[in-house]
Amino acid sequence: VQADGTDGNCVTFVLHDEDHTLGNSLRYMVMKNPDVEFCGYCITHPSESKINFRIQTRGSLPAVEPFRKGLNDLMGVCQHVLNTFEVRLLPEELGGL
């Protein structure tokens, strides 16, 4: 959903089957971008599993760019955590089998 009178720099993305887990971590990653003026999300209703995720950028940067970068950065962080877990914890557990 794009705000009226904008060139794509103020957009609300509707993410289905998601909750605070993705919303808060993605908001954190997107806000690290200095070109983002506002980023926030809300759960539409406790009985619905979707969030409205809004991004407003400075200048002419389309909001979809920091959204895409935030998702990619978050995937990178999750992959790093998984790799660290596998390297440090799994060999100890497998040694006891």
Side-chain angles (χ1 to χ4, degrees), residues 1 5-6 26 29 33 35 37-38 40-42 46 48-50 54 59 62 67 71-72 76-77 84 95-96:
V1 178
T6 64
L26 183 57
M29 297 305 282
N33 187 333
D35 293 325
E37 187 173 5
F38 173 81
Y41 75 96
C42 67
E48 295 180 2
S49 60
K50 70 177 182 178
R54 186 172 185 88
F67 182 67
L71 287 170
N72 287 329
V77 168
T84 303

Side-chain angles (χ1 to χ4, degrees), residues 7-23:
D7 295 327
N9 67 329
C10 186
V11 178
T12 300
F13 302 92
V14 179
L15 307 173
H16 296 274
D17 298 323
E18 296 299 342
D19 58 13
H20 290 290
T21 304
L22 178 67

